[in-house]
Amino acid sequence: MDISFGDFMMQNLTEFWHLTGFYNATFKHFVMLAVGLFFIWLAIKKDFEPMLLVPIGFGMLIGNIPFNTEAGLEIGIYEEGSVLNILYNGVSAGWYPPLIFLGIGAMTDFSALIANPKLMLIGAAAQFGIFGAYMVALLLGFAPDQAGAIAIIGGADGPTAIFLSSKLAPNLMGAIAVSAYSYMALVPVIQPPIMRLLTTKKERVIKMRPARAVSQNEKIIFPIVGLLLTCFVVPSGIPLLGMLFFGNLLRECGVTTRLAKTASNALTDIVTILLGMTVGASTQASEFLTTETIGIFALGFMAFIIASTSGVLFVKLFNLFLPHDKKINPLIGNAGVSAVPMSARISNNLGLEYDPSNYLLMHAMGPNVAGVIGSAVAAGVLLGFLA
């Protein structure tokens, strides 16, 4: 039967309309688009971790533009063979996080930790947030592998959370990653009230002795010994810890300066862009807006609170056994979470608020970098038991 030109055009326009985002949009899509815009606003207007929240927020916009999934367009992040899906392989297969750890190692000075090794204990104490959240997640009915992946949010380390969730709970990775990065960005909002609540005015003005000078040989030996000690105990942490200490050796050995600069600058920036954008794009409304996601955000927040609290309380307890001239300012306890260098800066800023001459940044960097190692070790432990 012949079709008139008008009917032909109307049929084509109808088909085109059915392919548009306006036709395929649901209320959930607009909710996620609003969340993406909120992340971008926080990054630009409030300066909350813009390097993370701008890529993640814009990725949310990309991932939540509605389209007809039955049209076979191969444009969605979960459609096999699409460009976004290929980029997302770095997240789902877990090879973006080790590259980020390479960059972290190349840009991190471990001198504060080497000069005062007992600060490692603060970083270890902050990991109570991870294992506390793991227990609560089990009680709430999450499977052991899901509970482990959710609990790692307490380490406040986005790459570690992505790496572990890619191995243990790939279906929850989007919610876990966004939750981890959200709380990392909100460190300046969440931690100060906890620190004020748990410390006295007298404790906040404790002045710590200047750290001793660390030799170049010590800096070179540290990543080698650190790798052997941690990975012999937790071999499942090799992908993260191996790259972290390798990057640090590139920085400190003195003969690979160009490689260290590449790892800490260009490579890290490229991977951060791809990681943030694809994590954001993975939060498609149909996959992300579930009751499980709400539970993950709640558990992540609890884990982060426990981790920050544990670090501060541990310092207060530790001080009971230290002589007066070697007391540790409890304000650096919050830095035991793996949010480098944000939480260390918060320790320093709060210390200056109560005593303008009390600079805590270098002291706080000790537990801060210990937290990076501690969260990677905790992830290795969970991976070894639950994989």
Side-chain angles (χ1 to χ4, degrees):
M1 184 175 67
D2 292 335
I3 301 176
S4 67
F5 179 76
D7 290 339
F8 175 76
M9 289 299 297
M10 183 58 67
Q11 180 180 335
N12 277 271
L13 288 173
T14 302
E15 290 177 0
F16 175 76
W17 170 247
H18 288 173
L19 292 174
T20 64
F22 297 105
Y23 178 81
N24 291 282
T26 65
F27 175 72
K28 288 184 175 182
H29 286 108
F30 290 111
V31 170
M32 290 308 304
L33 289 172
V35 173
L37 291 172
F38 178 65
F39 273 37
I40 294 171
W41 178 81
L42 284 176
I44 296 173
K45 291 296 184 181
K46 298 297 183 180
D47 199 31
F48 284 177
E49 285 306 301
M51 299 295 186
L52 297 175
L53 292 191
V54 168
I56 292 175
F58 202 82
M60 287 181 172
L61 302 185
I62 292 173
N64 284 284
I65 294 175
F67 62 92
N68 188 341
T69 56
E70 298 177 359
L73 301 174
E74 293 189 354
I75 56 173
I77 196 166
Y78 294 114
E79 291 185 272
E80 197 71 33
S82 71
V83 174
L84 284 177
N85 181 258
I86 293 170
L87 294 176
Y88 186 61
N89 281 340
V91 175
S92 58
W95 52 266
Y96 284 155
L99 292 176
I100 292 288
F101 263 67
L102 174 66
I104 292 172
M107 68 177 70
T108 301
D109 183 357
F110 286 95
S111 296
L113 185 60
I114 299 170
N116 194 356
K118 64 177 176 286
L119 297 178
M120 176 70 80
L121 297 175
I122 303 174
Q127 307 315 311
F128 280 114
I130 294 174
F131 295 103
Y134 174 67
M135 298 299 181
V136 174
L138 289 177
L139 292 174
L140 291 178
F142 284 95
D145 52 352
Q146 293 178 328
I150 295 168
I152 203 66
I153 297 171
D157 191 329
T160 302
I162 291 171
F163 177 80
L164 191 63
S165 59
S166 71
K167 304 298 181 186
L168 297 181
N171 60 313
L172 302 180
M173 192 191 314
I176 290 171
V178 172
S179 177
Y181 279 117
S182 297
Y183 293 133
M184 283 175 65
L186 292 173
V187 161
V189 176
I190 297 172
Q191 285 195 329
I194 297 172
M195 297 159 69
R196 289 189 177 95
L197 178 66
L198 299 177
T199 57
T200 64
K201 289 184 178 180
K202 184 178 178 181
E203 288 173 327
R204 295 171 202 151
V205 296
I206 291 176
K207 287 194 174 183
M208 299 173 64
R209 296 168 61 179
R212 68 173 180 84
V214 177
S215 70
Q216 190 63 30
N217 285 339
E218 287 179 290
K219 292 182 180 182
I220 294 172
I221 292 171
F222 176 79
I224 298 171
V225 173
L227 170 71
L228 297 177
L229 286 178
T230 56
C231 291
F232 264 79
V233 175
V234 189
S236 49
I238 289 174
L240 297 179
L241 292 166
M243 296 298 271
L244 175 72
F245 288 122
F246 174 48
N248 190 241
L249 183 62
L250 292 178
R251 169 195 170 94
E252 303 296 357
C253 69
V255 293
T256 54
T257 303
R258 193 173 73 187
L259 297 181
K261 286 182 177 179
T262 299
S264 61
N265 293 306
L267 179 61
T268 299
D269 289 344
I270 291 169
V271 178
T272 299
I273 291 169
L274 296 177
L275 177 66
M277 187 275 292
T278 51
V279 163
S282 70
T283 63
Q284 287 188 357
S286 58
E287 305 284 335
F288 191 80
L289 286 181
T290 64
T291 53
E292 270 189 340
T293 299
I294 297 172
I296 289 169
F297 269 79
L299 284 169
F301 183 72
M302 184 200 70
F304 191 75
I305 295 295
I306 294 174
S308 301
T309 301
S310 299
V312 176
L313 291 180
F314 177 80
V315 175
K316 290 167 69 75
L317 176 64
F318 199 25
N319 276 343
L320 298 177
F321 304 95
L322 294 176
H324 180 74
D325 62 334
K326 293 185 179 179
K327 298 287 187 186
I328 299 173
N329 192 313
L331 290 179
I332 73 170
N334 74 297
V337 300
S338 177
V340 180
M342 289 177 288
S343 51
R345 286 202 298 261
I346 291 167
S347 303
N348 186 63
N349 293 341
L350 212 57
L352 291 173
E353 183 180 319
Y354 291 94
D355 181 353
S357 66
N358 194 11
Y359 293 91
L360 296 172
L361 182 60
M362 289 310 298
H363 299 292
M365 283 302 297
N368 208 185
V369 297
V372 177
I373 299 171
S375 65
V377 169
V381 170
L382 291 170
L383 183 61
F385 278 104
L386 300 174

